[in-house]
Amino acid sequence: MWISAVVGFAASNDDWTEAKKTISATDGAWEDWCKQWELWKDRPLQMALTPGTNESEINFSWYSTKEDKKSRIRIGDNEQLRDGSTLIVTTKMATTGYYYNQAVATKLDINKTYYYSYTIDGRWTKAYKIQTKNPSNFQFVFVGDPQIGSSYDNIPDGESGVQGQERAVCNDSFNWNRTLQAAYNHAKSLSFIVTAGDQIQSRNLKDSKANYKTFDKNEIEYAGYLSPELLRSIPVATTIGNHDSLSGNYSYHFNNPNSKTGYGTTYAGADYYFTYGDTIFLMLNTNNTNIEEHENFIRDALSSNKNVTWRIVAMHQDIFGSGEHSEDEDIIDLRTALLPILRKYDINLVLTGHDHTYARAFIAEDDAKYDAEAVETGSFANSTSVVNQDMVRNQGFECSRKMISALTMNARKVLAFTKSYSLMERGSEHMIQLYAKACDDTVRYSSVKGILFITANSSSGSKYYKLLENQQDYVGARSQENQSSYTIIDITQERIQLNTFFTESGKKVDKTIIITK
């Protein structure tokens, strides 16, 4: 175990999930994971798959040791890899003791099974399976900050002292694995995964300018992040979080497509994008606060993809979240600077993290209260009635046929004593409609009327933040139950549908959300 003043760790008062106490840890699962972890912890050599420039490509990146300079990879349509294609591999120096290897598979057919194998230290791995999907109707899973290693400074139940980095990474990667497995069990047709950034915890806060290319104190955390077996078969599109941003090994582990834009660059990498069918994913590195660069990136990417149906932005910082970060000055600055650009380029959905809480916000196209000249604070405390349809669940109301029936009966009694169609009648009817909508488990938004913002909670339970005491008026729903979660997103030409679930219980965090054209 090592301790360094130049590496950032979790605050000791943050809530977290102790892996060995979860339901997933029963029947020896936790003990088996710990044994396997001993084999992984000092070798961050696992393959990382990322989406290619479009649905016909997949990108590969993996580490090899310093002595292994001739890494190879091949891909084919049978497990024995007979007549498999050998891909071109680019090998460069990574952190001390490692090289990173990157390759791209192109011209892949849709709805087809492929297998690939690659060399680590000159030895071929087993064949891993990849299943390409139909891009006209597809699913992906969106998850919040894994931040592997963030539980470092927490005290395990019944013990004293901090966990230590190795134990924290083992804990957090176990929980990260079970979230991915739960998402896969829920939707086995996943095309890829999108993360909201902060793959890992540790970063060089003191001397990143001099050592960002060689900083290796978080490689054990990357080993934990890449440990789930599912990541050998499902690509991950990562956003760059503030914990990723200060070291170069993010760019060694992830071979992002269209990443040579030069826009939004930090030590970890830059803005990048990819298309999947009629959807474009614009991955912003908002740790770089040069808004003009992000606008240029979005403009150039969309000018090369003019006929896409859906435009999705993913970035780390949550400009319309409801947790502790949402009142930070840098978040307020991003909110006022980015919103006009997102509107200008007709963005439909924005996926964010950073706040380790769940929140949903729909910002109408004509809502001017978040314009730069109108912003004085970032709170926008909610003063609307508790009858607001998106607040009913948060205020503790239970939706039931009995409640609707009682409300309807009371309203009819009011109407019976009223001879004219008065304001009282209209108010009573409006109340019934609001409660009925609140009890509907679906929320529908029109993409032409505004932008939907989703802030994801932690996907690993390594750290949870508290919600602000006062819910902002832009928040339609929010949740913090100190449980990890994931969001399944289904896309067709007609609509985007989002469903968010708790990892352990499988219960829904929010209503079903549908965006239509």
Side-chain angles (χ1 to χ4, degrees), residues 145-149 176 195-201 221-222 225 236-241 243-244 250 254:
D145 311 25
Q147 208 162 326
I148 304 299
W176 164 236
T195 76
D198 280 357
Q199 277 59 236
I200 46 82
Q201 164 66 17
E221 296 166 2
Y222 277 110
Y225 173 89
V236 182
T238 56
T239 56
I240 299 175
H243 285 261
D244 307 312
Y250 169 93
F254 303 110

Side-chain angles (χ1 to χ4, degrees), residues 350-371:
V350 180
L351 303 173
T352 66
H354 194 48
D355 237 338
H356 299 246
T357 62
Y358 174 82
R360 162 167 55 88
F362 186 77
I363 308 303
E365 183 66 29
D366 59 354
D367 194 340
K369 70 169 65 72
Y370 311 109
D371 293 348

Side-chain angles (χ1 to χ4, degrees), residues 5 12 19 21 26 77 114 119 146 167 172 185 200 238 250 270 285 294 349 354 387 399 429 460 479 481 504 514:
S12 59
K21 302 187 120 187
T26 57
D77 59 8
Y114 289 92
T119 61
R167 292 181 63 186
D172 301 344
N185 292 343
I200 46 82
T238 56
Y250 169 93
N285 179 10
H294 296 308
L349 173 64
H354 194 48
V387 182
C399 293
E429 287 186 352
S460 67
S479 171
E481 298 189 21
E504 286 282 275
I514 294 177

Side-chain angles (χ1 to χ4, degrees), residues 26 31 56 67 75 92 117 120 123 130 164 174 199 201 230 249 275 279-280 299 321 351 410 432 448 463 471 474 503:
T26 57
E31 289 76 13
S56 71
E67 292 77 20
I75 186 170
K92 295 182 179 180
S117 177
I120 300 178
R123 296 183 179 182
I130 300 174
F174 175 88
Q199 277 59 236
Q201 164 66 17
L230 276 174
N249 38 7
T275 61
T279 303
I280 188 168
R299 180 202 62 210
L351 303 173
N410 288 336
I432 294 169
V448 298
K463 177 168 62 176
Q471 178 173 314
Y474 57 69
T503 296

Side-chain angles (χ1 to χ4, degrees), residues 145-160:
D145 311 25
Q147 208 162 326
I148 304 299
S150 186
S151 65
Y152 178 98
D153 207 23
N154 289 292
I155 301 173
D157 186 63
E159 300 182 26
S160 61

Side-chain angles (χ1 to χ4, degrees), residues 65-99:
T65 63
K66 187 174 182 179
E67 292 77 20
D68 184 17
K69 298 182 180 180
K70 295 182 179 180
S71 295
R72 292 176 288 169
I73 183 171
R74 55 191 180 188
I75 186 170
D77 59 8
N78 60 85
E79 193 169 2
Q80 293 72 35
L81 291 170
R82 293 187 298 269
D83 302 321
S85 300
T86 299
L87 304 180
I88 298 173
V89 178
T90 300
T91 301
K92 295 182 179 180
M93 180 68 73
T95 51
T96 304
Y98 296 107
Y99 285 84

Side-chain angles (χ1 to χ4, degrees), residues 140 142-143 194-197 237-240 271-272 274 280-286 294 297-298 311-317 342 347 349-353 454:
F140 69 97
F142 169 56
V143 291
V194 173
T195 76
T238 56
T239 56
I240 299 175
D271 296 345
Y272 71 96
F274 63 98
I280 188 168
F281 292 82
L282 302 155
M283 317 295 287
L284 303 186
N285 179 10
T286 42
H294 296 308
F297 163 75
I298 294 173
R311 302 176 178 194
I312 297 177
V313 162
M315 61 188 188
H316 181 59
Q317 281 77 4
L342 300 173
I347 302 304
L349 173 64
V350 180
L351 303 173
T352 66
I454 297 293

